[in-house]
């Protein structure tokens, strides 16, 4: 096991830069970088096919490592090139018809909601937006009251890109199971900072990325699809990896979730993501979750006592994403000025969270995200830098 207090040893030297945008661009641990380099060296020396053959054990371990991480079966795991495409492969494969209803929440990620609008225009189904409770998270009781025989899907984001909240995913899962409704969970911002368990959550489909809290390479993602619902999703496109051409006019889909994959993929990226999962497991997701939550609380406290700064996080349970504003400055100005001081943060703006920010009277929020490799000293330095703006 890796001691969580010593992970800086596996993090690139960056003493001149404070990284608080790691939810969007997390620092890659040395073991992940090294694993990718080995594959790329083989590609350079032997070519892509031989490099893939040499990486066969690590490529196979991708499925077992993710299965262990999510408490799933390896046959329920697929590698997909990014989180959006993983979510799309499942959603666009659903047989939604005119008159069907899909329930989501105002915190849903913009790309997902756009896809819902896209398919609603094509298929004729209706989108219902569940209200928030007093804390800002999805109102589970109201969600249950919205379900009708026409409701075919509940699709929410576990950790929205703005607001710092953790939606009560397991409570939503219990509602979905009681009513026999498919449940699609976007875990892009949560897997890697929150201990995930698809059995406890009760989701049928879960999508995510490698580049955020898992600290894997960009351009990598994953998809979990419960075995019992596989045949209810028709992949929106297939190739010779996703299916077998059994006759001139016939084919069979690949068994398990690999029917959502494509033959051509980034081998170094797949090995890198597998290594990132293995690295996170070696630390322990419960330890990571506790560390991130503790640092985020300290950051909220430090910002809350800073003059002219207001924290805008919501939810009963909060995560490593901390959103705030400073009087007289736009969020983009805050990010630009902090970057000039060697501090990286992100910004959540209205186009990315229209259903959430607009009702709160907000146009944008600065977002500072902590990870387990951040320190309390860095939090103090960050709050001091914000105060000086």
């Amino acid at each position: 096991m890796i001691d969580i207090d010593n992970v800086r040893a596996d993090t690139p030297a960056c003493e001149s830069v404070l990284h608080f945008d790691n939810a969007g661009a997390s620092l890659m641990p040395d073991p992940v970088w090294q694993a990718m380099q080995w594959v790329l060296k083989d590609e350079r020396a032997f070519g892509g096919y031989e490099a893939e053959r040499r990486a066969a054990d690590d490529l196979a371990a991708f499925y077992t490592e993710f299965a262990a991480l999510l408490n799933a079966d390896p046959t329920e795991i697929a590698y997909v090139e990014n989180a959006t495409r993983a979510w799309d492969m499942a959603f666009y494969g659903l047989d939604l018809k005119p008159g069907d209803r899909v329930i989501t929440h105002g915190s849903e990620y913009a790309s997902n909601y756009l896809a819902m609008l896209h398919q609603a225009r094509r298929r004729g189904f209706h989108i219902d937006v569940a209200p928030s409770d007093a804390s800002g998270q999805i109102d589970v009781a109201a969600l249950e009251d919205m379900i009708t025989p026409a409701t075919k899907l509940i699709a929410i984001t576990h950790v929205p890109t703005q607001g710092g909240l953790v939606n009560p995913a397991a409570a939503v899962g219990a509602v979905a199971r009681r009513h026999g409704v498919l449940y699609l969970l976007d875990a892009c911002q949560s897997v890697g900072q929150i201990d995930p368990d698809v059995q406890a959550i009760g989701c049928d489909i879960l999508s995510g990325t490698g580049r955020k809290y898992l600290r894997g390479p960009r351009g990598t993602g994953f998809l979990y699809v419960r075995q019992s619902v596989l045949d209810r999703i028709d992949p929106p496109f297939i190739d010779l990896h996703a299916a077998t051409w059994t006759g001139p006019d016939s084919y069979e889909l690949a068994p398990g979730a690999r029917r959502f994959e494509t033959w051509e993929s980034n081998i170094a990226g797949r090995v890198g993501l597998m290594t990132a999962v293995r690295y996170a497991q070696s630390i322990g997701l419960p330890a990571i979750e506790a560390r991130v939550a503790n640092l985020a609380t300290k950051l909220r406290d430090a910002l809350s006592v800073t003059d002219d700064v207001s924290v805008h996080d919501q939810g009963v349970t909060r995560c490593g994403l901390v959103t705030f504003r400073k009087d007289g400055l736009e969020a983009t100005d805050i990010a630009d000025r902090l970057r000039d001081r060697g501090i990286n943060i992100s910004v959540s703006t209205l186009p990315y969270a229209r259903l959430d920010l607009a009702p709160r009277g907000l146009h944008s929020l600065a977002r500072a995200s902590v990870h387990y490799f951040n320190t309390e000293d860095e939090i103090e330095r960050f709050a001091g830098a914000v105060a000086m703006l």
Side-chain angles (χ1 to χ4, degrees), residues 25-70:
S26 189
L27 299 176
M28 183 183 293
D30 284 348
V32 176
W33 180 83
Q34 291 162 358
M36 295 178 68
Q37 293 305 305
W38 293 331
V39 176
L40 292 174
K41 287 178 180 178
D42 281 349
E43 284 196 14
R44 183 171 183 239
F46 307 109
Y49 292 159
E50 178 62 15
E52 181 177 4
R53 189 191 69 78
R54 289 169 176 249
D57 289 345
D58 286 339
L59 293 173
F62 174 90
Y63 302 98
T64 54
E65 291 291 344
F66 258 106
L69 178 74
L70 300 177

Side-chain angles (χ1 to χ4, degrees), residues 122-186:
R122 286 177 164 183
R123 301 285 188 91
F125 62 81
H126 185 80
I127 304 170
D128 296 316
V129 180
S132 301
D133 65 16
S135 76
Q137 68 187 21
I138 188 170
D139 187 325
V140 178
L143 164 72
E144 185 153 23
D145 289 341
M146 294 170 66
I147 294 176
T148 73
T151 304
K152 304 302 180 185
L153 175 71
I154 298 171
I156 66 168
T157 293
H158 195 187
V159 170
T161 190
Q162 72 295 328
L165 70 85
V166 180
N167 268 318
V172 173
V175 170
R177 285 195 300 272
R178 277 198 296 272
H179 294 272
V181 177
L182 275 176
Y183 178 21
L184 166 55
L185 185 66
D186 181 334

Side-chain angles (χ1 to χ4, degrees), residues 298-307 309-311:
K298 292 181 183 299
L299 178 56
R300 290 185 184 98
D301 291 344
L303 290 173
S304 295
V305 299
T306 304
D307 289 343
V309 173
S310 54
V311 175

Side-chain angles (χ1 to χ4, degrees), residues 69 187-196 209 212-215 222 280 284-285 288-289 292 371-372:
L69 178 74
C188 191
Q189 305 264 22
S190 58
V191 173
Q193 69 159 317
I194 295 172
D195 190 14
T209 184
K212 297 195 178 188
Y213 273 95
L214 279 175
R215 303 181 68 192
F222 61 93
L285 267 296
I288 291 174
E289 183 174 344
V292 170
H371 211 328
Y372 56 76

Side-chain angles (χ1 to χ4, degrees), residues 300-380:
R300 290 185 184 98
D301 291 344
L303 290 173
S304 295
V305 299
T306 304
D307 289 343
D308 302 326
V309 173
S310 54
V311 175
H312 290 268
D313 291 339
Q314 299 181 297
V316 174
T317 302
R318 298 178 179 180
C319 63
L321 280 68
V322 179
T323 56
F324 66 96
R325 291 184 59 82
K326 185 175 175 68
D327 292 349
L329 287 176
E330 292 293 330
T332 52
D333 294 331
I334 295 172
D336 290 342
R337 295 189 187 189
L338 289 176
R339 191 171 296 110
D340 290 340
R341 296 169 181 255
I343 301 173
N344 293 330
I345 67 168
S346 300
V347 173
S348 292
T349 60
L350 194 61
Y352 292 94
R354 184 172 301 280
L355 295 181
D356 180 27
L357 292 183
R360 295 161 64 190
L362 298 170
H363 180 269
S364 63
L365 289 170
R367 188 182 75 206
S369 304
V370 297
H371 211 328
Y372 56 76
F373 55 72
N374 287 123
T375 65
E376 294 183 8
D377 176 66
E378 288 177 334
I379 288 173
E380 292 178 7

